Amino acid sequence: MLNPYHSNPENCPKTILVTGGAGFIGSNFIRYELENYDDVVVINLDKLTYAGNLENLKDIEQKYGLSSLNQKPKTQDLRPNLRYLFVKGDICDKNLADSLLSGEYWKKKGVGRRTHDSRLMTPDAVINFAAESHVDRSILDAVPFIDTNIKGTQVLLEAARIHWQRENSTNLKPKTQDLRPNRFIHISTDEVYGSLGKTGEFTETSPLLPNSPYSASKAAADLLCRSYYKAYNLPIILTRSSNNYGPYQFPEKLIPLMIKNALERKELPVYGEGLNVRDWLYVEDNCRAIDLVLRKGNIGEIYNIGGENEMKNIKVVKLICKILGESGRVNSEHGTRNTKLNKLIKFIDDPRGKAHDFRYALDCSKIKKGLGWKPVSKFEEGLRETIDWYLSNRDWVKKVVTGEYQEYYKKIYT
């Protein structure tokens, strides 16, 4: 069923540049957009680092798109219903960002002339998912986080500023009289707020107090976005979500790592005593929220997006063990039992030290009241769906776990 907003397409972006679209949340968002709107074109720009994987969108590419690295179609002709295009590249590449935002990239390839009005190959919205996003990696080496999360965001902002300037701007005139609104949605994180004690919630006006190089780089990017909104009237909106989980998440994060290790009868490493608290948000709930922000959000605003599912890390790990142990499918295929899985839990020294925030929780009343969003998935229900996905896609896990992953795993967990 198509999203109801499809009935009012003239007021909605039609061509979306999604950066980091081969990653976890980005790929889920692309799938959500293309399967809920029949008039949206998505251009996916991704550098394909360790966490970016075209396998995440293999079915989408086959159904809607242009083949990945060489821009050659899988069919013998460039189909008129082409709606998904992939570009391998870095958001820090100024020339590439300029050519994509202006539409020149596709004009040079002749794609727009043969498949679409060339105007539809020019993005009227950017959703910036591209980021280095793992705290532990940022502590090992902060440089990639500064480059991608700060410098890359600035490159995208500047390209958008140049190509989207409004009629009332004193700097540039619009290149067309297109009535479709421009939007720059920057995807941030609750980690920019820092850490909470046992009570309380962060609001959108809470001070930014990041405690790791990762969260500091995201906070810096957030402030850059604010400055481009204030200085240039760029149509920017920020979202800050809590911990996401669901299909296609790279197995360095807690939930997929525990699932993977449990199935392989490996230790389940838990930092400290596992008492840190996270609010868990099912990725499809986040995608629905981002879609609402894209189409109905107010320019210049920030929206918290939380799952309302707070839980200590150790309880999450034990729940994963419980669900895996209850599954007859796991028992029959992998010989796994709940009692044995719990014995795999190993408490290890916390490599994050004081950078490991104790608790996150978000006040989401703004997006609930303003846009009518609320999380749908209860944590145990979403976790069961996630575990089932990983059980059904063990080949995907094997493909994404590279030699680089093995080296990183040794540094952190052994």
Side-chain angles (χ1 to χ4, degrees), residues 341-361:
L341 289 179
N342 281 328
K343 291 179 180 179
L344 293 175
I345 295 172
K346 180 182 180 182
F347 297 104
I348 65 173
D349 292 339
D350 192 339
R352 300 181 183 182
K354 293 181 180 180
H356 196 172
D357 297 327
F358 174 70
R359 174 175 168 264
Y360 304 130

Side-chain angles (χ1 to χ4, degrees), residues 254 257-258 261 267-276 312-318 320-321 341-342 344-351 356 409 412-413:
L254 179 67
L257 176 62
M258 295 301 110
N261 279 16
E267 289 180 344
L268 307 180
V270 177
Y271 293 168
E273 296 178 352
L275 300 180
N276 299 75
K312 294 178 181 178
N313 287 345
I314 185 60
K315 289 188 176 180
V316 173
V317 175
K318 288 182 177 179
I320 291 170
C321 292
L341 289 179
N342 281 328
L344 293 175
I345 295 172
K346 180 182 180 182
F347 297 104
I348 65 173
D349 292 339
D350 192 339
H356 196 172
Y409 188 91
I412 296 297
Y413 297 113

Side-chain angles (χ1 to χ4, degrees), residues 243-267:
N243 283 49
N244 280 230
Y245 70 101
Y248 299 105
Q249 188 171 28
F250 189 77
E252 67 180 355
K253 299 298 178 75
L254 179 67
I255 288 176
L257 176 62
M258 295 301 110
I259 296 171
K260 173 183 175 295
N261 279 16
L263 292 177
E264 295 175 358
R265 296 293 188 89
K266 293 182 178 179
E267 289 180 344

Side-chain angles (χ1 to χ4, degrees), residues 168-227:
N168 61 358
S169 170
T170 58
N171 299 321
L172 288 173
K173 294 182 180 180
K175 295 185 180 296
T176 70
Q177 297 300 313
D178 193 348
L179 296 178
R180 286 176 285 142
N182 295 130
R183 294 287 186 271
F184 190 110
I185 313 299
H186 179 69
I187 308 301
S188 188
T189 169
D190 59 356
E191 296 191 38
V192 299
Y193 295 123
S195 183
L196 285 169
K198 293 182 179 181
T199 61
E201 295 177 324
F202 292 121
T203 71
E204 288 84 354
T205 59
S206 295
L208 304 186
L209 297 170
N211 291 317
S212 70
Y214 160 60
S215 56
S217 69
K218 292 297 290 184
D222 288 7
L223 294 176
L224 271 174
C225 289
R226 172 185 165 84
S227 74

Side-chain angles (χ1 to χ4, degrees), residues 13-18 33 40-43 123-125 127 294-295:
K14 287 187 176 180
T15 304
I16 306 171
L17 174 62
V18 175
E33 289 296 299
V40 166
V41 174
V42 173
I43 300 169
D124 43 37
I127 305 185
L294 171 66
R295 298 171 188 282

